[in-house]
Amino acid sequence: MAQPEYLRIAADLRRRIAIGEWGPGAQIPTLGELMAEYGGVSQTTIRNALRLLANEGLIETRARAGTRVRPRPPVHRMAADRYRSTPGGKSTPYTRDQGIGWSEYRLDKRFERVQADAELAALFECEIGERLLARHFVFYDNDQPTQMSTSYVRWADVSGTPVADPINEPWPGGTRAQLASLGIRVTEIMESFTTAMPNELEAATLRIGAGVPVLRYTRKHIADTGRIVEVAHPIVRRGDTTIVDFRIRLED
């Protein structure tokens, strides 16, 4: 069966972007120019090809600016030891992942009190209905949103403390430092990863195309008593520019 014409054109445009014929920010030829270049195909065919590339996050169209190659964010590595740094100081695991300073870091936040549903109760190993504080975050690297998450802590741990006040975010040292300020010593962190295509909210928040995969993961902070004291579920990053590094030491 012959490949649809718009897929063939999209593949060629994708190739031309990949080899640098049009660099980041470069303008793509107009609809009329592309129609002529590809043998007089219809405007609908060209639009379908461009829509596919836009969904993949390769191009973007703006009013009065035409269609341009979208600048590709740099690849960031998430190191296995990013949580080991001493709590405090003007950094967090996120800023270390991104390789940015405190002045380049911005955080949107929204706090609300919720009750644990069946899924959260299973993650926290607590009773359904336990009161939690949900912290919804969008993380920015130089005004570019690169991560979003919802972090839950037990209301009994944070009620009436600075941790429960969003005015104190971002908190130097991150969640581990927050919990340490409450006398909670975190000795273990667990993470589990999945990949998927973004939902509408994720694509809009992270400013990515619907065809760009995302990395979703769940994180747990576990205290020295064995109690789970924080669950981030989910943390979401664009998957095409995130590398997760693991280091496994094997003793003889």
Side-chain angles (χ1 to χ4, degrees):
M1 183 176 179
Q3 185 183 48
E5 191 71 5
Y6 82 93
L7 291 180
R8 182 186 68 80
I9 294 172
D12 190 57
L13 293 173
R14 191 184 297 112
R15 176 191 63 81
R16 294 167 71 178
I17 293 171
I19 65 175
E21 181 175 339
W22 301 305
Q27 189 158 9
I28 299 295
T30 65
L31 288 175
E33 290 168 338
L34 290 174
M35 289 165 62
E37 185 173 350
Y38 286 104
V41 298
S42 71
Q43 187 178 103
T44 298
T45 297
I46 295 298
R47 287 188 183 278
N48 286 340
L50 294 177
R51 186 177 297 112
L52 181 59
L53 297 186
N55 284 341
E56 295 174 1
L58 293 177
I59 62 175
E60 58 186 354
T61 300
R62 296 182 180 177
R64 297 185 297 278
T67 299
R68 297 181 180 273
V69 176
R70 189 170 188 172
R72 186 174 177 84
V75 172
H76 290 287
R77 310 187 74 97
M78 296 171 56
D81 63 352
R82 65 191 183 278
Y83 294 111
R84 290 183 180 174
S85 298
T86 303
K90 291 290 188 177
S91 69
T92 69
Y94 172 78
T95 62
R96 291 189 286 274
D97 284 343
Q98 296 294 120
I100 60 175
W102 198 251
S103 63
E104 301 167 284
Y105 173 35
R106 181 166 68 83
L107 187 68
D108 288 347
K109 63 259 186 171
R110 179 174 62 86
F111 285 21
E112 63 176 336
R113 288 171 59 179
V114 300
Q115 292 185 333
D117 59 14
E119 183 180 28
L120 285 172
L123 289 169
F124 267 102
E125 299 177 6
C126 70
E127 296 294 326
I128 293 176
E130 178 167 341
R131 292 189 298 168
L132 305 171
L133 177 65
R135 291 116 34 107
H136 306 280
F137 296 126
V138 180
F139 300 77
Y140 291 81
D141 174 346
N142 286 300
D143 293 323
Q144 176 64 38
T146 62
Q147 180 174 300
M148 58 190 294
S149 71
T150 300
S151 168
Y152 300 88
V153 288
R154 298 174 187 260
W155 183 248
D157 289 336
V158 303
S159 176
T161 74
V163 175
D165 191 340
I167 198 173
N168 295 313
E169 294 285 358
W171 190 296
T175 299
R176 185 178 166 202
Q178 289 179 330
L179 295 169
S181 75
L182 303 176
I184 299 172
R185 180 170 174 262
V186 172
T187 55
E188 186 177 1
I189 293 176
M190 294 178 59
E191 292 180 328
S192 58
F193 293 83
T194 62
T195 58
M197 303 312 293
N199 60 36
E200 186 175 348
L201 175 62
E202 291 166 346
T205 301
L206 298 177
R207 302 177 192 166
I208 59 177
V212 176
V214 293
L215 179 70
R216 295 193 191 115
Y217 61 104
T218 298
R219 179 193 67 211
K220 298 179 182 179
H221 279 76
I222 304 172
D224 54 1
T225 60
R227 189 169 66 101
I228 297 168
V229 290
E230 185 263 358
V231 171
H233 179 69
I235 302 172
V236 184
R237 296 179 61 94
R238 60 182 297 162
D240 62 336
T241 58
T242 301
I243 297 175
V244 182
D245 287 330
F246 290 95
R247 181 179 179 182
I248 302 173
R249 297 190 60 181
L250 301 178
E251 297 183 356
D252 295 334

